[in-house]
Amino acid sequence: MKWQQFQDHTAEFFRSLGCHAQVEAKVTGARAEHKIDVWVRFNKFGLETKWVIECKDWNSTVPKEKVLALRTVVEDVGADRGILISAAGFQPGAVRAAEKTNITLTEFDGLRETAREDLVASVLHRIETRVIELKYELHNLYTSEQTGPHSWISKPQPGVDGNAVTRAIGALAVLEYGFDRIRLKKPPYPVKFDDAGEREVLVDTLDDFVTAVSEVIGEAESTFKLQKDRERK
């Protein structure tokens, strides 16, 4: 496979996953402009994820230096992950340099499984970050008042419906528990309570978890916006 075909096939693969993929993209970073073999972007729940893909259609294994160079580019352009695809494998030093980093090493034949796992991991990370942000935003709708030397009381800001905010915070807490179970790889994963508020709704796969989370986050964001508007009035 020629080098340009290697890039084109890689870009087409990511497009098949629903990503935007640009071949030989020029991306401006904090310190320099970089020419990237395949620049991949995708959105989930309004959160953009960016990946730098480098394609090495070489007859020899990729050395450590190329991994270090990719790490530098990923950091400079603010990407979430770098993927180095090699036609001939990697030297041991390259493998060590990628360990415990946001760099993935793979051969083209293994790209499908590797990329899908990384896509899910990136989406989950972004979602969990948004859940944490929302939780703090909702908590900020309360004020704390000291009632004694060692006691405090929290109460909603004027105009804020404390019950609605508490329900939204509780829904996000269920998601946090779901993320804990995902890290432990112990399905089923809780996503919310049922309409009666008595039993957890559980899903068995990561795909179902990601889909269900969108509804919970959307409801929490709507609650925050509504209560924030009420607070301003």
Side-chain angles (χ1 to χ4, degrees):
M1 185 185 298
K2 293 182 179 179
W3 175 57
Q4 289 183 326
Q5 288 180 321
F6 197 3
Q7 290 181 331
D8 290 339
H9 280 294
T10 300
E12 284 300 323
F13 166 72
F14 281 101
R15 290 171 190 142
S16 74
L17 296 178
C19 303
H20 177 273
Q22 182 181 356
V23 175
E24 296 188 6
K26 292 182 179 179
V27 180
T28 301
R31 296 181 294 273
E33 183 178 80
H34 305 274
K35 186 177 180 180
I36 294 172
D37 288 350
V38 185
W39 177 238
V40 172
R41 292 175 290 126
F42 60 95
N43 282 279
K44 198 74 174 179
F45 313 129
L47 304 171
E48 185 179 46
T49 298
K50 298 172 288 187
W51 287 1
V52 175
I53 314 298
E54 289 292 308
C55 303
K56 302 301 181 187
D57 188 20
W58 295 355
N59 293 322
S60 58
T61 53
V62 174
K64 171 184 176 181
E65 290 71 25
K66 294 301 179 183
V67 176
L68 298 178
L70 178 56
R71 285 170 57 178
T72 299
V73 173
V74 167
E75 179 183 357
D76 192 45
V77 301
D80 302 276
R81 178 163 294 278
I83 297 181
L84 188 54
I85 307 169
S86 170
F90 303 90
Q91 294 180 10
V95 175
R96 288 193 295 271
E99 290 176 350
K100 298 180 181 179
T101 72
N102 61 342
I103 303 298
T104 297
L105 307 183
T106 185
E107 297 182 20
F108 189 80
D109 290 343
L111 179 61
R112 181 171 296 278
E113 182 176 352
T114 298
R116 188 182 181 284
E117 290 177 354
D118 284 350
L119 276 169
V120 172
S122 291
V123 169
L124 287 171
H125 175 72
R126 288 275 182 164
I127 294 172
E128 186 171 18
T129 299
R130 183 57 186 142
V131 167
I132 294 170
E133 290 172 346
L134 269 173
K135 184 180 70 173
Y136 279 100
E137 289 170 352
L138 289 163
H139 275 296
N140 286 337
L141 294 173
Y142 283 80
T143 56
S144 295
E145 179 181 320
Q146 189 168 8
T147 57
H150 305 289
S151 60
W152 295 75
I153 186 171
S154 293
K155 57 183 180 180
Q157 300 276 11
V160 170
D161 183 345
N163 290 330
V165 174
T166 298
R167 286 194 299 270
I169 292 173
L172 296 177
V174 175
L175 289 185
E176 289 183 309
Y177 178 46
F179 283 113
D180 287 341
R181 291 193 64 85
I182 286 172
R183 276 188 285 272
L184 294 172
K185 298 182 178 180
K186 289 187 175 182
Y189 311 118
V191 291
K192 61 181 181 179
F193 283 105
D194 60 19
D195 292 338
E198 298 176 353
R199 304 180 69 176
E200 290 179 340
V201 176
L202 306 173
V203 296
D204 294 316
T205 68
L206 292 181
D207 287 342
D208 288 340
F209 182 82
V210 169
T211 300
V213 163
S214 64
E215 179 184 345
V216 179
I217 289 179
E219 290 175 354
E221 288 177 334
S222 296
T223 297
F224 174 74
K225 184 178 183 302
L226 175 62
Q227 300 306 319
K228 193 67 177 177
D229 290 343
R230 292 179 61 175
E231 179 190 20
R232 293 192 186 103
K233 293 179 180 179

